[in-house]
Amino acid sequence: RPNESKQLRWRDIKETPEGHKYIYVRPTTKTGERDTFPLPHAFRYLERIREQSEYTGEDDLVFGSREGKPVENFGKTFKKILIDANILYDSEGRPRTIYSLRHFYATQRLSSKTKPIPMEVLSQNMGTSPQIMFTHYRHLTTHNFAEILTAR
């Protein structure tokens, strides 16, 4: 969520004793305090940001401006990138937004042919309810299990 990203500080990037990296989501966000486990390659991107930033102290914002201040609107930059790449609109003609990335992530995790994530687990990781996930993505799970569902 954009608000979670706006509040993310370097100290919020953590690691379990087993070596699994995760992000601590602050209690001041929409869904409250929780730990979330992004895909491992997301941390490579965060390290690239850290290498290029002058603001890398534990209390500094991960996604701050060049002056280290909070970014107020991720949407404008995201829209410009989509326009430059000529992919602002989806196949139905709807404009993509920064929130489209959240939908894409959920779709990819639920529809993975090799490691689909159960809806209940993904909803907790994303800070939403299983009911919301079911409402928006139930069509994916039946397709994921078509082979099992149609087996004789």
Side-chain angles (χ1 to χ4, degrees), residues 45-56 66:
Y45 174 70
L46 293 173
E47 280 306 312
R48 286 182 23 214
I49 292 173
R50 185 175 232 157
E51 289 168 5
Q52 296 174 16
S53 178
E54 295 177 31
Y55 302 95
T56 59
R66 295 197 187 276

Side-chain angles (χ1 to χ4, degrees), residues 56-101:
T56 59
E58 291 294 297
D59 289 325
D60 288 329
L61 295 168
V62 173
F63 298 109
S65 69
R66 295 197 187 276
E67 295 78 32
K69 304 290 182 205
V71 173
E72 293 301 319
N73 187 343
F74 290 113
K76 285 200 264 184
T77 302
F78 185 69
K79 184 175 182 179
K80 181 177 179 349
I81 291 168
L82 295 180
I83 290 170
D84 290 349
N86 200 29
I87 56 171
L88 177 60
Y89 298 98
D90 68 15
S91 60
E92 303 297 321
R94 298 172 295 212
R96 292 184 170 98
T97 66
I98 195 84
Y99 212 77
S100 302
L101 296 175

Side-chain angles (χ1 to χ4, degrees), residues 3 22 36 41 46 52 67 80 83 92 94 102 105 107 110 123 140 146 150:
N3 189 42
Y22 66 97
T36 184
H41 64 269
L46 293 173
Q52 296 174 16
E67 295 78 32
K80 181 177 179 349
I83 290 170
E92 303 297 321
R94 298 172 295 212
R102 183 174 167 83
Y105 170 78
T107 301
L110 290 168
S123 68
L140 295 174
T150 58

